[in-house]
Amino acid sequence: MATGTEPSPLTGDSTGVHDASRAAIGPRHLRTDRWWLAPAVTAAGLLAFVVYSTWRAFANADYYHAPYVSPFYSPCLADNCAPMRHGPNADVFGSWWGLSPALLILIFPLGFRLTCYYYRKAYYRGFWASPPACAVAEPHRKYSGETRFPLVLQNVHRYFFYFAVVVAGILTYDTALSFRDEHYRWGHMGLGSLLFLINIALIWTYTLSCHSCRHIIGGRLRHFSKHPVRYRLWGWVGKLNERHMLLAWASLISVALADFYVYLLSTGAFDDPRFF
């Protein structure tokens, strides 16, 4: 294996990993395992969610079946929203909005996930190959990081966190409303109620495991001993943060499943099984 500092004679590149100051290694990598599998699966999973969520966001139909409302359409802020008794709907934008009301709200949870530190790693590797895996050279000749448009917008993640908390609060309200029957009578629980409970638990744990949340709770403190409550909360969030990747994927799947379940009920595929 070459260890000099001359550019690789196999490529002729003079930038990036083949810069004159880097070790002159000819192959793009020396790995013998299936290093491409992880980024390929990541890209496939994210692409599947993008395709599904795009279809459902523009469908503008089959997103409400009493007492369940799809998390993609909550809160519903346009005049063309489906009537929801005591539901998360408010005619904020009036009748001039003729597109799907999901487009008014999805920008906030979508922006939170797009700028999330884990998801950056996921799509940087899965879609941009920057780099595709550890010890594998990326194909790009230059890398400017997140200092230029559009990647500089990643720095607004901390602000999307506040919107994500509000959305999670509204979805919590939706979960409470799911403990009604189709006639809006309280004290009932269906399979949808259970799915909504699982979904909101995963959404909250994913949101609170965010790096921005961890910094808000315990960042910029000089002495933890003077702030025992914040230190305890910081420790709890830190434990969640260790599972940020798992929670990111679990909550992504659960929110899609919750929406799909409402879609199936709304289209009459089957009736919601009731536990009591």
Side-chain angles (χ1 to χ4, degrees), residues 37-123:
L37 186 59
V41 171
T42 298
L46 292 178
L47 183 61
F49 180 81
V50 169
V51 172
Y52 173 79
S53 60
T54 301
W55 165 57
R56 289 294 293 138
F58 282 92
N60 194 17
D62 303 319
Y63 57 85
Y64 182 68
H65 183 84
Y68 308 119
V69 56
S70 164
F72 286 1
Y73 285 80
S74 182
C76 204
L77 303 177
D79 179 68
N80 59 350
C81 293
M84 307 177 195
R85 185 174 177 181
H86 304 301
N89 55 325
D91 185 7
V92 175
F93 286 84
S95 59
W96 64 269
W97 182 263
L99 301 177
S100 170
L103 303 179
L104 295 172
I105 192 63
L106 279 181
I107 184 62
F108 299 110
L110 179 62
F112 179 63
R113 288 184 182 267
L114 279 176
T115 57
C116 166
Y117 290 116
Y118 165 69
Y119 281 113
R120 295 188 207 184
K121 169 189 172 183
Y123 59 73

Side-chain angles (χ1 to χ4, degrees), residues 237-260:
V237 173
K239 292 184 180 300
L240 286 176
N241 184 257
E242 294 175 1
R243 296 168 175 80
H244 196 48
M245 179 183 73
L246 175 62
L247 293 171
W249 278 104
S251 60
L252 193 73
I253 294 172
S254 70
V255 74
L257 287 177
D259 170 81
F260 189 62

Side-chain angles (χ1 to χ4, degrees), residues 180-202:
R180 304 178 298 176
D181 61 13
E182 63 276 13
H183 303 294
Y184 305 101
R185 295 179 298 223
W186 287 95
H188 301 273
M189 179 179 181
L191 179 59
S193 309
L194 180 60
L195 291 177
F196 272 48
L197 272 176
I198 296 173
N199 178 55
I200 194 58
L202 290 173

Side-chain angles (χ1 to χ4, degrees), residues 165-233:
V165 170
V166 173
V167 171
I170 295 172
L171 296 183
T172 303
Y173 175 71
D174 296 344
T175 302
L177 294 182
S178 73
F179 285 86
R180 304 178 298 176
D181 61 13
E182 63 276 13
H183 303 294
Y184 305 101
R185 295 179 298 223
W186 287 95
H188 301 273
M189 179 179 181
L191 179 59
S193 309
L194 180 60
L195 291 177
F196 272 48
L197 272 176
I198 296 173
N199 178 55
I200 194 58
L202 290 173
I203 286 179
W204 269 118
T205 50
Y206 164 65
T207 303
L208 296 179
S209 69
C210 169
H211 296 74
S212 294
C213 178
R214 190 167 183 260
H215 176 73
I216 291 171
I217 291 177
R220 309 188 72 174
L221 292 179
R222 293 183 179 273
H223 306 285
F224 276 128
S225 59
K226 296 182 179 180
H227 305 273
V229 175
R230 290 183 64 181
Y231 176 68
R232 179 65 62 87
L233 294 175

